[in-house]
C-alpha cells in the first residue's frame, strides 16, 4: 500500500477537512483496486464495459483525481531517460529488497511500488526478474489497454535486442488452447480461465442440473490428464497411498450422493450493485445440483491409516487437496476441509469420478475431483492430484487470502485475511429463477419458481415468497428429488425416506402460483428460505456486503412489469 | 375453530367487501386468542396490563367488535334456564362427541365449542366431565376476570349441592407450594409455572452465568425428587437400564461442557411488538451460559446397547426424554432429540448432575437433567426420569404442537403443526445487554456490550455493531471464555485450543467502545452476529414473525438518548 500511503499524504495537504480527506483516500483506494489486475476472479473489470463510466464517476468531484494526477506525474518523471538492460541485469531485481523488475514486449519495468497494490497478491512476484508474457497468457485479464497504461508508468528502460530475440523464441502457446468445448447457452463471465453459468430459467427447470449446464468455475487452464497414467497420492498418514483410477474404483465401494455445489460468489452481481466488489460478476446461477459417484474420502483415508492412534493422525485437523491445474510457475489450485468432515460417517465427502452417471466432464474435474457436500464449491477441488492430511489448512491463496467473509466496514486497506475463517459450510440461500428481472407478465396469476439450499446438510424446510416487495408472504410448494427417491426406494428396503438429518445435501426447487396484486404496473417478487436450524436469509444486501463479494444470500428480489388491461 | 367459522359467517353478511371481511376475521381470531387461556406459555395476557388497551384498539374500527357482540348475545340465550346436574351426569359429557362439560365453583359449563379455541390445545379435554379447579391451580393464568367472563358464556346449569360439598373436600393444595426460593433480581414473566430472566446488564457481565441468575423456564411445578430413591430408566434398547444417581456418577466418566442454553421464546417481546403472539413475553435474557457436568448420554446409550446391530437400535432415530414434572392428569413434560446428535462423539449431550460446579439447583433440574448443547432449551429436559430410544419423536405437546417455526403468513386458523419440523438447532443470535433501551448516555464514547451465540456448535466469528441504525458498522471485540481456556490448558497438553470445529457450544460476549455520532439527540444501536457457516441474523422482525413468537433473532436494536451539551 505504498501508493496508498502516498495518496494519503497528498490528500492531507490538499484536503484540510478530515472527513473529506477520508473520502478522498477511500476513493483513491477503490480506484487503485479497479486499475489493478491479477489472478483469480478479477476479470470483471476487464470484461465489463461498465468500469469506464464507474471510473469516471469516481474521479469526478473528489480529491482522488488530483491525488492520482500528481502521482501519475511523479512516476512520469522517470520516463525521459531510458537505458538498455540485459536479461541478466533484470534478473537481479527479483525481490522487494532488490526491487521487482519485469520485462514485457522488449521494455523493462520496475514494478516494486505496484506489488502491494496487485489485486492478485504476491503472485506477481513469480514474474519478478523475468518476462510477464507467460503469466499474462494465463490470465487474460491483463490484455487490456488500461493494464498496459498502468504498466507504462513503471517503465525504466529497454531490454537489449539479443535478449528480446531469445524471449520471442520461447514465448508460450496459449495454455487455454486445450480447454474443452462448452455449451453455447452458458453465460460466460470469463473465458480464460473459463467461468460461466447457465440461464436461470434453465437452471430452475430440472432438479438434476445437466452436466453441460452446470456452472463452471475454473481458476486456471483445464489440465489434460491421461487416465491410464493418472495417480492419486494420499499423504500425511501412516500408510501413504498412490492409487490409479482403476484401484480407486475397485478397492473402494462406489458411493453415490446427490449434492448441490455453489460458488462462494454466486449472486455477487447484487453486491456489486450496492458497491463495487472484486470478483466475477455472477448472477444467480453459480449453483447446480448433480448426482456424483466415487469412493468415499473417508474410506480412502482409513485405508491410509487415518483416524488411528498414530501421532500424525491424532494431530491432523485438515485434509488438503491439490489440483493438477497450475499456473505458469507450477502453483496448483489448492484448498482444504476439516478432517472432521472428511472422516465423519455422515460427511459423504467423495473422490468422485462420475457426474450424473457418466465420467466427469473435463470442466468438472476429469478424471477425479472432490465433492464435499454442504461445503462451498471452492473446496471441491477438481482434477485432484494429491490429498494431504495435515495439522494445517491448505497454504494456498484460495484458502488463506480469498473465500472468506468480512464486515461491510472492512475495506482493502484494513482487511486482515487471518482474522476470518475460510468459508466451509455456506449459509442458507434461495433465488428466483423465473420470472426474470424486468420480465413483463400477463395480468392474473403469476408462476414464480426458484431454488433453495443450505450448507452443512441442513435441509430447507420452507420458502416464503412475496409479490409485494416483502410486505406479505406465501409459503411456496417445495419440489424435492421425488423421482430420485423413487429409484432409491426400488434399491432400498421399501421406504422412501427423507434425507437423513444433517445430510440434506441437495437443493429444493420451489414454486408459487398466485394472483398478481390488482391494479399495479410493477411488482417486486421476493423469496427467502428457512433451513432446519431455522436460519433465514437476511433482508438486504448492504449489511452483508463484503469487499470480496462472497456469501451474497440476502432475499432475492426480481422486479417485473404487469401488462396493462 | 367453530366460533371462528361463525365469525366468518357473520362478517360475510356484515362486510360485503372481501378485503374488509378478511381484516375482520383476522381481528376476530386475534381477539379470541387473546381471550383464550391455557397451559404452557400463555401467561403474558394475564400478567401484562397492556393487553387491555391493545384489546380496545383491536375492537375499534373493525367488524370484529360487532361480530363478537353478536356471538356473545347468541351464547347468552342459553342463560335463562339453569337446571341442576349431578357430578355423574356431568361425567357423561367427557368427549367432543358427547359434549365437553366441566364444573367450576358449583356451576356446570358446556365448553364443547370452546375446545378448538383453547390456546393450550386439547389439554383442556383432560378436565372434561370433571372439575376445572385442579387444572387451574396448575396454570395460574386462568385466575383472571376475563377468563371467568369467557367461561360464564358457556354456563348450562348448577352442580347439585352434595357434589359441590364433595368437590370442596378434595380441592387440591397449590402444587407450586414446594417451588424453591428464587433470586429477587429475576424479572418474573410467570410465577406458576415459574418463568423468569435476569436483568440484561447482569447477564452480559459474566461469561459464566451464575446459576441463581440463569433464566428459568418451567412448564409445570418443580418436582421434589429424593436423590436416594431416584432412578433413571433407559428404555428402547437391547439392555434397558435403571440407574441410581450414584451409579450414573460412578459407572460413567464425568464429562464437563460449557454450553449456552436458550429458550425458543427468547426476545419474543420484540415479535409481540410487531403483532401479538402467544407466549411469555421474554426480553433478551432467556439465555445463559453455564458449565455442566455429568455422564455423556452417548456412554449411557452405548451401555444399554445403543448403536449396535439390534433391530430396535437400527431403526431408532430419536431419543425421547421424560421429566418428573407433570400436570394434574399426570402428563409429564417431554421432548426428544435426534439419535444422531445423542450418539455422536462430537454431540456432547450430557445427563448432567452439576451446574457451575455444584449440584443442579431445583429450578434447573435437580437431581438430573439433559443438556443438549447447540439445541433449543426445550429439549434439555429437567428432572429427567426416563430416556426412551425410539423410531418416533416424543409424542408430547411440546415436541409436536409447540416449539416450531412458521411463516408470517400462517395464523392460528391455518397452522398445521405437522408441516414444520420441531426446533432442534437454533439460528444465529445476538443481543445488546448494555446500554438498556431508553438509557440516557453521556456525549462522547459509548460502551456497547452483548452476547452472541449460534446453534449446532457453530462458532460466532464476528459481531457487527452500528451506532446509526444499521447504516454503518464496526466490528466488535469478542470476549470468549479465556479464563476457562487457561484452566483447560493446565489440565491439558500445554495448548489452549479454540473450540473444536462444530463444538462451539458456548456463547461469546462482545464489546464495542466507540464515539457517539456528534450532534444527535437519539441513537439507534444495532447488533448482528455471523457464525462460522456465515449465517447471519435477518434485518427485521416482521418477516420472521410467527404465531408462536419463537426464533426471534432479527438484529437487536436499542434506542438511547444522548445528553445535551
Amino acid at each position: 500500500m505504498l501508493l496508498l500511503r502516498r495518496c494519503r499524504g497528498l490528500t492531507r495537504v490538499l484536503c484540510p477537512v478530515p472527513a473529506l480527506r477520508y473520502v478522498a483516500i477511500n476513493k483513491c483506494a477503490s480506484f487503485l483496486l479497479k486499475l489493478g489486475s491479477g489472478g483469480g476472479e478479477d476479470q470483471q473489470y476487464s470484461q465489463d464495459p461498465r468500469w469506464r463510466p464507474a471510473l469516471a464517476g469516481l474521479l469526478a468531484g473528489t480529491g482522488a483525481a488530483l491525488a492520482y494526477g500528481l502521482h501519475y506525474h511523479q512516476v512520469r518523471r522517470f520516463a525521459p531517460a531510458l537505458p538498455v538492460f540485459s536479461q541478466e541485469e533484470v534478473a537481479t531485481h527479483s525481490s522487494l529488497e532488490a526491487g521487482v523488475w519485469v520485462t514485457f514486449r522488449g521494455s523493462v519495468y520496475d514494478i516494486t511500488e505496484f506489488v502491494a497494490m496487485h489485486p492478485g497478491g504476491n503472485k506477481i512476484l513469480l514474474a519478478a526478474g523475468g518476462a510477464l508474457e507467460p503469466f499474462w497468457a494465463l490470465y487474460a485479464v491483463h490484455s487490456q489497454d488500461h493494464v498496459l497504461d498502468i504498466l507504462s508508468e513503471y517503465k525504466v528502460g529497454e531490454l537489449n535486442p539479443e535478449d528480446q530475440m531469445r524471449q520471442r523464441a520461447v514465448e508460450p502457446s496459449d495454455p487455454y488452447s486445450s480447454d474443452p468445448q462448452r455449451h453455447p447457452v452458458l453465460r460466460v463471465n470469463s473465458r480464460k480461465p473459463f467461468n460461466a453459468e447457465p440461464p436461470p430459467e434453465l437452471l430452475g427447470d430440472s432438479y438434476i442440473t445437466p452436466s453441460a449446464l452446470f456452472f463452471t468455475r475454473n481458476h486456471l487452464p483445464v489440465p489434460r490428464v491421461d487416465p491410464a497414467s493418472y495417480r492419486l497420492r494420499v499423504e500425511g498418514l501412516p500408510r501413504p497411498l498412490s492409487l490409479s483410477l482403476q484401484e480407486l474404483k475397485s478397492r473402494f465401494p462406489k458411493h453415490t450422493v446427490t449434492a448441490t455445489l455453489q460458488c462462494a460468489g454466486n449472486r455477487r452481481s447484487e453486491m456489486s450493485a450496492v458497491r463495487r466488489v472484486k470478483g466475477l460478476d455472477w448472477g444467480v446461477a453459480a449453483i447446480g445440483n448433480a448426482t456424483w459417484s466415487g469412493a468415499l474420502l473417508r474410506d480412502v483415508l482409513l485405508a491410509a491409516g487415518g483416524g488411528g492412534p498414530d501421532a500424525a493422525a491424532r494431530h491432523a485437523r485438515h485434509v488438503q487437496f491439490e489440483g493438477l491445474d497450475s499456473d505458469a510457475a507450477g502453483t496448483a489450485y489448492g484448498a482444504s476441509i476439516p478432517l472432521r468432515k472428511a472422516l465423519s460417517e455422515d460427511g459423504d465427502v467423495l473422490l468422485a469420478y462420475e457426474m450424473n452417471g457418466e465420467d466427469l466432464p473435463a470442466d468438472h474435474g476429469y478424471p477425479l475431483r472432490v465433492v464435499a457436500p454442504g461445503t462451498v464449491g471452492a473446496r471441491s477441488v477438481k482434477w485432484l492430484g494429491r490429498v494431504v492430511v495435515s495439522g494445517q489448512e491448505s497454504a494456498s491463496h484460495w484458502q488463506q487470502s480469498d473465500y472468506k467473509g468480512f464486515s461491510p466496514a472492512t475495506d482493502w486497506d484494513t482487511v486482515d485475511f487471518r482474522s476470518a475463517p475460510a468459508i466451509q459450510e455456506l449459509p442458507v440461500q434461495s433465488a428466483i429463477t423465473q420470472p426474470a428481472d424486468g420480465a413483463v407478465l400477463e395480468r392474473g396469476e403469476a408462476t414464480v419458481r426458484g431454488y433453495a439450499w443450505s450448507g452443512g446438510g441442513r435441509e430447507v424446510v420452507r420458502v416464503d415468497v412475496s409479490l409485494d416487495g416483502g410486505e406479505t408472504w406465501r409459503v411456496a410448494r417445495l419440489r424435492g428429488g421425488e423421482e430420485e427417491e423413487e429409484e432409491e426406494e426400488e434399491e432400498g428396503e421399501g421406504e422412501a425416506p427423507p434425507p437423513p438429518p444433517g445430510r440434506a445435501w441437495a437443493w429444493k426447487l420451489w414454486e408459487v402460483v398466485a394472483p398478481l396484486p390488482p391494479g399495479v404496473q410493477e411488482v417486486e417478487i421476493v423469496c427467502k428460505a428457512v433451513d432446519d436450524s431455522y436460519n433465514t436469509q437476511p433482508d438486504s444486501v448492504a449489511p452483508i456486503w463484503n469487499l470480496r463479494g462472497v456469501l451474497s444470500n440476502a432475499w432475492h428480489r426480481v422486479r417485473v412489469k404487469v401488462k396493462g388491461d
Side-chain angles (χ1 to χ4, degrees), chain A residues 28-106:
Chain A
C28 187
S30 310
F31 178 44
L32 292 168
L33 283 165
K34 277 180 180 300
L35 288 177
S37 55
E41 287 204 1
D42 315 318
Q43 281 73 359
Q44 93 282 15
Y45 300 116
S46 55
Q47 302 215 336
D48 187 345
R50 284 174 294 177
W51 76 267
R52 285 165 197 281
L55 203 56
L58 270 175
L59 290 173
T62 78
L66 191 48
Y68 187 76
L70 286 176
H71 158 71
Y72 193 85
H73 180 74
Q74 201 167 7
V75 173
R76 274 292 181 199
R77 281 181 307 179
F78 291 107
L82 287 177
V84 173
F85 298 104
S86 70
Q87 175 58 50
E88 198 176 351
E89 285 168 296
V90 171
T92 64
H93 297 280
S94 60
S95 67
L96 286 169
E97 295 70 31
V100 177
W101 288 20
V102 292
T103 65
F104 186 69
R105 293 187 192 160

Side-chain angles (χ1 to χ4, degrees), chain A residues 10 25 27 51 90 129 131 135 146 158 165 198 319 337 344 444 494 555:
Chain A
L10 284 167
I25 289 169
K27 296 278 180 184
W51 76 267
V90 171
F135 294 89
H146 71 278
E158 305 290 350
M165 291 287 283
V319 185
I337 62 171
S344 164
W555 299 355

